Amino acid sequence: MAREPIVHGGQPEDADEQRRRDAALRPKRLREVIGQKAVVQRLEIVLNACKKLKEPLSHILFDGPPGLGKTTFATVLPNELGTGIQMTSGPALTNPKDLLPFLTNAEEGSIIFIDEIHRMPRAVEEFIYPAMEDFRIDIILGEGINARTISMKLKRFTLIGATTRSGMLSGPMRDRFKMHEHLEFYSEAELSQLMNINARKLQTPLAEDAAVELARRSRGTPRIANARLWWARNFATSEADGNITLDVARAALSMAEVDVVGLDKQDRRYLETLIGVFSGGPTGIEALAATMNLPADTLSDEIEPFLLREQFIIRSPRGRLATARAYEHLGRKKPCDDVRGTLFDMSE
Ligand code: ADP
């Protein structure tokens, strides 16, 4: 099943629209990056060191749920170094030869960025090991008895990998990254700051309390915050005088079916399915995905991380379980409460 773009102001939108917005609002320099303070500090140190030592940056792996800034960090670093970046993704590299142009075009100190690196086939992974370690690749020419291997020297590049599933990366691949940075969800204060900065970029007047409200309902995720802001701007332009006031922000979010804690239709559908169809679980992700008619990856990468963090669900060895908070949020009664209530009534 194809992966669907899912992050939006509440409205369905295509992947191109999302990409355009990401590109327009993406910070260019490290000092413009909001939050992730410890990550920024460590990157400043390695950037400083590699400039002084005149060495390329070590290979870096960023992991974390979608929209938290993995690509942003990868694209900010070459700007800090004054080098170029080539971008590709794991699913696009089906064969080792797909990597060749990137490796051979890499300039000294430049960056190759591989998004969704956990989806790279094993053969491509193995091909990249010597390139990462010794900056050389082994190419086999000819076939059968006439085959011979030639070793080709490469310029010293930096590989930046991004993954939503570091656990799916093989051990040898993970070990070849000298830096591993895990990105966390953002606080409301950080997302409010992002709202204010990006509203200025979009030349949209945004009231302080509206920024806080939009931030609070953005699931701790900058990409979602940008989508909510984008939608609120359209809403304010069409339905009001163009100013995003608190009332306008609330009306925009309500029309987008984003609820008070920031869950959208898809998130609530997940909880409804878990509770309504599977009696709150435990249930396996494949069964949930099949019932919702969505790929299991979409559930585990894009919907579940925030629901887990906010304790709407828990992941047990037997499958996903809805918590009391999930029942309460949907205005439903937990079945065991009903049973306890009945027993209690009977004993009275
Ligand atoms: P990922 O690669 O993790 O899916 P991105 O780096 O593409 O996420 O982030 C999506 C958008 O969110 C970016 O275009 C950018 O506008 C915004 N963003 C992400 N992280 C930050 C950050 N730390 N500071 C400011 N904006 C951010």
Side-chain angles (χ1 to χ4, degrees):
M1 229 182 293
R3 278 166 77 86
E4 295 174 7
I6 198 175
V7 174
H8 41 69
Q11 305 302 301
E13 65 178 5
D14 63 32
D16 283 345
E17 162 117 5
Q18 188 174 292
R19 259 192 296 276
R20 268 198 304 279
R21 189 177 51 232
D22 280 355
L25 298 176
R26 186 167 276 137
K28 305 261 179 310
R29 303 302 295 253
L30 210 48
R31 63 171 182 278
E32 296 167 35
V33 166
I34 292 163
Q36 311 289 352
K37 288 278 175 285
V39 178
V40 170
Q41 278 171 2
R42 282 190 290 271
L43 290 173
E44 278 169 349
I45 288 171
V46 289
L47 280 168
N48 248 331
C50 85
K51 279 184 204 157
K52 284 190 180 163
L53 297 169
K54 299 203 177 354
E55 280 184 3
L57 201 61
S58 53
H59 305 307
I60 309 175
L61 180 68
F62 290 104
D63 86 86
L68 293 195
K70 300 180 292 298
T71 311
T72 299
F73 276 110
T75 51
V76 152
L77 291 173
N79 292 340
E80 295 294 331
L81 290 164
T83 60
I85 180 168
Q86 302 180 80
M87 302 178 77
T88 183
S89 73
L93 302 168
T94 54
N95 190 294
K97 72 173 176 351
D98 296 333
L99 252 182
L100 266 180
F102 295 99
L103 295 173
T104 54
N105 287 333
E107 298 290 343
E108 183 78 13
S110 72
I111 286 175
I112 300 177
F113 173 60
I114 305 182
D115 200 7
E116 296 190 74
I117 195 164
H118 59 278
R119 291 165 160 247
M120 207 161 68
R122 186 54 58 93
V124 182
E125 216 181 77
E126 282 167 7
F127 183 71
I128 213 174
Y129 292 160
M132 289 175 80
E133 270 180 353
D134 307 324
F135 302 107
R136 66 171 179 82
I137 39 172
D138 297 322
I139 303 173
I140 301 168
L141 294 178
E143 277 180 10
I145 180 172
N146 295 320
R148 62 195 174 92
T149 305
I150 59 160
S151 193
M152 188 177 160
K153 198 101 193 80
L154 302 169
K155 304 256 174 62
R156 294 183 308 165
F157 65 95
T158 297
L159 183 72
I160 300 186
T163 178
T164 47
R165 306 269 195 98
S166 63
M168 269 175 70
L169 224 58
S170 72
M173 185 80 234
R174 234 191 338 260
D175 292 347
R176 280 169 174 83
F177 287 101
K178 295 294 167 263
M179 265 184 103
H180 293 190
E181 293 295 350
H182 175 71
L183 302 186
E184 296 286 349
F185 285 106
Y186 292 66
S187 68
E188 278 171 30
E190 288 164 348
L191 291 186
S192 296
Q193 193 190 347
L194 178 120
M195 289 289 173
N196 287 316
I197 291 171
N198 288 347
R200 277 198 293 278
K201 280 190 195 166
L202 297 173
Q203 300 179 333
T204 296
L206 173 67
E208 194 51 47
D209 49 6
V212 173
E213 183 73 2
L214 289 169
R216 192 164 63 80
R217 290 160 73 170
S218 292
R219 297 199 318 191
T221 306
R223 178 177 290 135
I224 299 181
N226 286 341
R228 305 278 195 254
L229 176 65
W230 200 270
W231 168 246
R233 184 180 75 143
N234 287 343
F235 187 89
T237 308
S238 162
E239 306 298 306
D241 59 1
N243 290 290
I244 308 179
T245 61
L246 181 59
D247 284 345
V248 166
R250 283 190 175 146
L253 289 167
S254 151
M255 176 156 273
E257 297 178 64
V258 173
D259 66 25
V260 285
V261 292
L263 303 191
D264 59 31
K265 236 161 64 181
Q266 199 81 276
D267 302 319
R268 285 192 302 275
R269 200 173 143 236
Y270 176 101
L271 295 179
E272 294 278 4
T273 309
L274 182 56
I275 289 173
V277 180
F278 296 98
S279 313
T283 187
I285 187 157
E286 296 296 339
L288 264 170
T291 311
M292 291 180 71
N293 198 22
L294 282 175
D297 281 359
T298 302
L299 264 51
S300 58
D301 291 357
E302 304 191 23
I303 299 181
E304 289 186 337
F306 186 71
L307 297 179
L308 282 163
R309 188 189 89 144
E310 290 297 304
Q311 298 183 351
F312 284 105
I313 56 167
I314 45 177
R315 226 166 20 199
S316 78
R318 290 190 302 140
R320 275 65 173 167
L321 276 160
T323 62
R325 187 175 184 207
Y327 281 87
E328 204 177 303
H329 189 68
L330 297 185
R332 289 187 179 235
K333 242 176 158 232
K334 243 188 137 179
C336 60
D337 293 345
D338 293 345
V339 173
R340 239 182 275 133
T342 317
L343 289 175
F344 186 69
D345 287 340
M346 279 161 61
S347 66
E348 263 191 337

